[in-house]
Amino acid sequence: MTIKKLLYLFSILLLSFTLKAQQETIITGHVSEIGTNSGIPFVNIYFKGTVIGTVTDFDGNYSIKTTTPTDSIYVSLIGYKSKAKKVQKGRTQEINFLLSQEALNLNTVEIRPGINPALRIIKKAQANKNKYDRDNLTAIQYVSYTKQEADVDNITPKMRRWKLFRPFSAMWDSLDLIVGDESKANLPVMMSEVISDIYSYKEAEKKHEDVDAVKIKFVGMKDGSAVSQLTGTDFQNYNFCKNAVAIQGKDILSPIAENAMLFYNYYLIDSVFIDSMKCYKIDCRPKNKKDLAYTGYIWITDTTFAIKQLDLGITPDVNVNWIDHARIQQVLIPTEAGPWVPSQTRTLVDYTTLTDKFVSMVVRTYNSNQNFVVNKPKETDFYKSRTTYSESALTKDTTWWAEKRHEPLTKLESKSYDMIDTVRNIPFIRKGVNILYFLFSGYKDIGPIDFGHYINVYGYNAYEGTRLRLGFRTNQKFSETWIIRGYGAYGFLDKGFKYNLQLEKILTRYPWSKAGAQYRDDIDQIGTNFGSSSSMNLGQTSNNLTNTFSQIGNISKLVRKQEMRLWYEKDFNPGVNTKITLQNVVTNPLFPINFGDQFNIFQTRKFSISEILLDVRYSVKERFVQNGTERISFGNNKSPVLAFNYTMGIKNLFNSDFEYYKASISFSNRYRMATLGYSQVYLRAGKVFSKIPYTLLEIPRGNENVFYGNNIFNQMNYFEFVSDQYIEAFWQHHLNGLIFNRIPFIKDFNLREIVGINMVYGTLSGRNRNFNSNNNFTVMDDVPYFEVDLGVENILDIIRVDFLYRLTYNDDFYKKAYELANPGNKINNWGIKVGLHFSF
């Protein structure tokens, strides 16, 4: 009887468990975005009419288990269209969702007397943000994993039938099966992964990255070493404790910035527990949809008022170019020292489709950080090198990556690696990459030699007439360390040939050091160039259109120069670049020039100078990428640039005629103010300590063509003023549409305002006045030269128009005197200049 009872009880229990299992409904799945196919975190998933639900994790995955399901499961997230799907009750099943974006329309909000509870929470977060700012840590180190993918999207079924895409139609079909029936796979063009150890030291303002492994495939890759330097975690820094957080270099106001309440509306949505912490979920919306502000959610802890996680983006309405929408999602964790650090960050940038018949680009980045160690700095010498690469960084095998990744690749990502190899070998794609390289670099590569720059091909002046020029440079196919570059030019009026030839040798890459030699025989316009080292070391920005057209037109004050030059440059510490140059320049003026003592004023002749130049440039946070034999700056991360130049002229060296000394110092910086725009400041001062020909003195750079130039005087004529001690200042503030965004009709064009003022004041000593007597040049009196600038940029996304007015040296007396001394040249008080400005 006992055995029968036991069997009976066992049968009852087995039946009850079976019934329970049959009644329990288990649903797992993934929520992603149509078009980008990117997982969406923090999405609400629930059975409608019940409190049964969950949210997706950081990768867009979810899981629900219940014994009381309804017929359908729903997903919803602000900014996306809600969806529902049928559920099979009592079954284990996988239900995936693909969500499409929709216009953000806030539901009806009930306003009650009293203070908006969301504002109290935001004020607390603002008051505590400095406490939780990770940049306040003395030192921090961690292991970082970054994964990035770039895809071509908006490829319609009709486009897929184009001859261009036929070679990989079968692989595309297999990707579509992974994505699902509701969406189409994109065309992957870049996949990269990097694992690094990151070290940061606040006191010395140093950051060091040990790159353990890099894996990259890129359709247009000419040299993998350059692209691999762009995939590191150094570019992923989204700190919402700061007043502004940039996307693609565009400063967007943080929801907890000091002045955020002037630009945001806040709504308390819910309170939830995240990692055992009670958090307030707050909906953040810009008051003006055109302003540079985020839209989305932040989760703020209820006792410490730190940001626990966030899901923020910018919509197509925001005054940002080339981006359809962008999104930042982040999870933060506290450190033992107090500040919070990001454990996971995901960004998505979906670039604008130019037309319905054209494709666009979407870029996704995932970053995971682990093993944080705070406030334990290394020795200062440890931070001297900014980035180092393991010898096997580019050769790690598949097994190693499978073990070390912080998260496994999805099926779609694994397939993307294979597809990139197929795409990059298609001849049409290779040709397209070469065309883009030519347009952006200015050079066309033919084997080991690049020919260009195309913008310098044509010139015209009264002495040479029509001038044609062809330049070249060798690339890494010629040599990894030796560089030969130069050009040849011919004037059809003077029937003269001009040329430049230089040889450079890269001595070391980390730290960077290089030596070079040059010989140049060409014609220059006085007052239209910066000299051999100024553009690199004195903070001047390139103005290709201005530089080109300054060599076209009725140009006077031309000189023929034969230049011999040797130089050596080296980075002694991160951010400190030094260069020493020895040069001899023989100048043959192509116009009358008189200099000497008062009894020698009629002498007209060429002269020779020999100089030693020392240039030092300091930009502590500047990052460079080495692209083959070139080194490219990728910005200085909001740090100022300081530069110093000292020039010593040595008499009798290589038949030099003069002994003299010059010195100058410069400062430049960009001051970012989020929704208020940004200011660009450039200051420079210098002195010539000796008497020398006025063509070697300081000549502020003017601009007589219709194209606007940065850090030059756009309403000043060429060679208008001469001085031997001087100070110049340029200030320009970009308002980023702060005013235009609030004007009906005008705001639809995304125009942006610019205001600026430029100043220079220089004097000429008595000895240089006497030495250069009987020459036609102007010396300032007690009043500096000023000009003001009101501009409109972002016209058709790339055009800027500046309206300029000359405030001083604009009276009739000065104009008449200047025109008498310079026949054919006039002073214009008002000017309109046009420029091209590519920015987000």
Side-chain angles (χ1 to χ4, degrees), residues 67 70 174 198 253 305 318 328 339 428 464 517 525 583 585 594 596 663 749 751 770 794:
T67 58
T70 59
S174 65
I198 309 294
L253 189 72
F305 295 97
V318 176
I328 300 174
F428 185 89
E464 295 178 279
Q525 160 73 21
Q583 64 182 20
V585 181
N594 308 305
F749 294 93
L751 303 178
N770 295 332
N794 210 42

Side-chain angles (χ1 to χ4, degrees), residues 460-464 523-529 549-560 589-592 694-695 699 704 717-720 776 818 821-826:
Y460 179 87
N461 59 66
Y463 184 83
E464 295 178 279
I523 292 175
D524 289 332
Q525 160 73 21
I526 296 176
T528 64
N529 53 57
F549 283 87
S550 67
Q551 305 301 321
I552 299 174
N554 185 23
I555 300 173
S556 59
K557 301 293 191 295
L558 295 170
V559 293
R560 182 88 183 234
L590 303 178
F591 61 97
Y694 72 98
T695 56
I699 303 171
E704 296 182 27
N717 284 3
Y718 298 139
F719 199 76
E720 187 173 341
N776 292 329
Y818 177 83
N822 300 271
N825 286 351
K826 292 184 178 182

Side-chain angles (χ1 to χ4, degrees), residues 516-578:
Q518 177 190 29
Y519 184 82
R520 177 176 180 267
D521 185 348
D522 204 349
I523 292 175
D524 289 332
Q525 160 73 21
I526 296 176
T528 64
N529 53 57
F530 298 116
S532 63
S533 62
S534 299
S535 61
M536 181 189 76
N537 287 324
L538 296 180
Q540 297 283 9
T541 57
S542 60
N543 299 291
N544 285 335
L545 285 173
T546 307
N547 292 341
T548 298
F549 283 87
S550 67
Q551 305 301 321
I552 299 174
N554 185 23
I555 300 173
S556 59
K557 301 293 191 295
L558 295 170
V559 293
R560 182 88 183 234
K561 290 183 178 180
Q562 289 84 40
E563 304 170 75
M564 293 183 292
R565 187 172 288 117
L566 299 171
W567 69 88
Y568 171 74
E569 65 174 291
K570 179 179 175 64
D571 289 352
F572 283 96
N573 282 298
V576 180
N577 175 264
T578 58

